[in-house]
């Protein structure tokens, strides 16, 4: 076999491996219903005994109605992931519903383990994501339209209309994870040093403290 052919085969093989690991690993059995109480630490959850599996492990009614948007951001995400549907364990998919009041914002965030695709149920949204070359890709989308947010990239949705809006979101991970940029930087535990944030954002430490106070979780 010539060196050129060998190199070509190697490239194809590497690409195939890369594609295979682009999302959650494929399941090796019919089902593996999550059993968080097992205490076993694996990449996912240990499996419930198949004899104990029921239809309830594959069902969730939590997306049927709009969520409450009476918060400072005016939006709420209702997740339908493996934490809510144990039967999703190892299947590599999950779902969410996002509701926005007029003017509501789902603030800049990332999903480290999944690409997201949203379908607009009602209303109109301004959406966008930022590439690693710092380019903003944005668009206004309305009822019946779809937009995709690539895995790991910072993105947002904003309802600039005067009526409520809602979307359904699908992910290629049973637990995509959400990393909210502002909350992560200003409300982490332990906290990011004020000097780091002040220098990064070119503001003074008093302004950092003000932002931390505004973003701090509300005490019940």
């Amino acid at each position: 076999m010539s060196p050129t052919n060998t190199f070509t085969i190697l490239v194809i093989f590497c690409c195939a491996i890369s594609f295979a690991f682009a999302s959650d690993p494929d399941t090796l059995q019919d089902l593996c219903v999550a059993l968080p109480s097992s205490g076993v630490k694996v990449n996912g959850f240990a499996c419930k005994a198949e004899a104990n599996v029921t239809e309830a492990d594959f069902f969730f009614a939590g997306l049927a109605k709009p969520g409450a948007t009476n918060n400072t951001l005016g939006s709420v995400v209702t997740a339908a992931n493996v934490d809510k549907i144990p039967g999703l364990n190892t299947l590599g998919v999950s779902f969410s519903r996002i509701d926005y009041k007029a003017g509501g914002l789902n603030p800049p965030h990332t999903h480290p383990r999944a690409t997201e695709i949203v379908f607009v149920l009602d209303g109109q949204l301004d959406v966008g994501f930022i590439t690693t070359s710092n380019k903003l890709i944005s668009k206004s989308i309305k009822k019946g339209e779809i937009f995709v947010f690539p895995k790991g990239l910072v993105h947002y949705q904003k309802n600039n209309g005067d009526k409520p809006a809602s979307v359904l979101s699908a992910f290629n991970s049973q637990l995509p994870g959400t990393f909210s940029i502002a909350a992560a930087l200003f409300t982490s535990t332990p906290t990011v040093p004020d000097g780091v944030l002040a220098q990064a954002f070119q503001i003074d430490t008093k302004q950092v403290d003000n932002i931390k106070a505004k973003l701090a979780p509300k005490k019940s």
Side-chain angles (χ1 to χ4, degrees), residues 42-92:
V42 294
N43 190 22
F45 295 97
C47 305
K48 178 190 287 190
E50 190 165 341
N52 298 328
V53 172
T54 71
E55 71 283 353
D57 294 315
F58 299 88
F59 177 79
F60 180 63
L63 306 188
K65 297 179 180 179
T69 58
N70 56 337
N71 54 60
T72 55
L73 292 172
S75 72
V76 64
V77 179
T78 306
N81 54 37
V82 69
D83 288 336
K84 302 288 182 62
I85 309 173
L88 288 178
N89 193 40
T90 76
L91 298 185

Side-chain angles (χ1 to χ4, degrees), residues 126-216:
D126 292 337
V127 302
F129 63 86
I130 303 168
T131 71
T132 55
S133 59
N134 217 33
K135 180 179 181 179
L136 173 65
I137 307 293
S138 62
K139 186 174 178 60
S140 292
I141 56 176
K142 60 183 184 297
K143 183 175 180 178
E145 296 181 338
I146 283 173
F147 197 80
V148 176
F149 303 106
K151 179 180 178 179
L153 296 187
V154 175
H155 60 282
Y156 64 87
Q157 304 107 30
K158 168 76 171 172
N159 179 7
N160 279 326
D162 57 4
K163 297 179 180 179
S166 58
V167 304
L168 291 177
S169 299
F171 303 90
N172 61 331
S173 172
Q174 67 182 38
L175 198 62
T178 299
F179 186 87
S180 181
I181 307 303
L185 289 173
F186 289 94
T187 68
S188 67
T189 303
T191 59
V192 177
D194 286 2
V196 171
L197 295 172
Q199 187 172 353
F201 288 94
Q202 296 296 288
I203 57 179
D204 60 44
T205 55
K206 184 176 181 180
Q207 289 172 302
V208 170
D209 289 337
N210 287 338
I211 295 172
K212 285 184 175 180
K214 289 180 179 179
L215 294 179

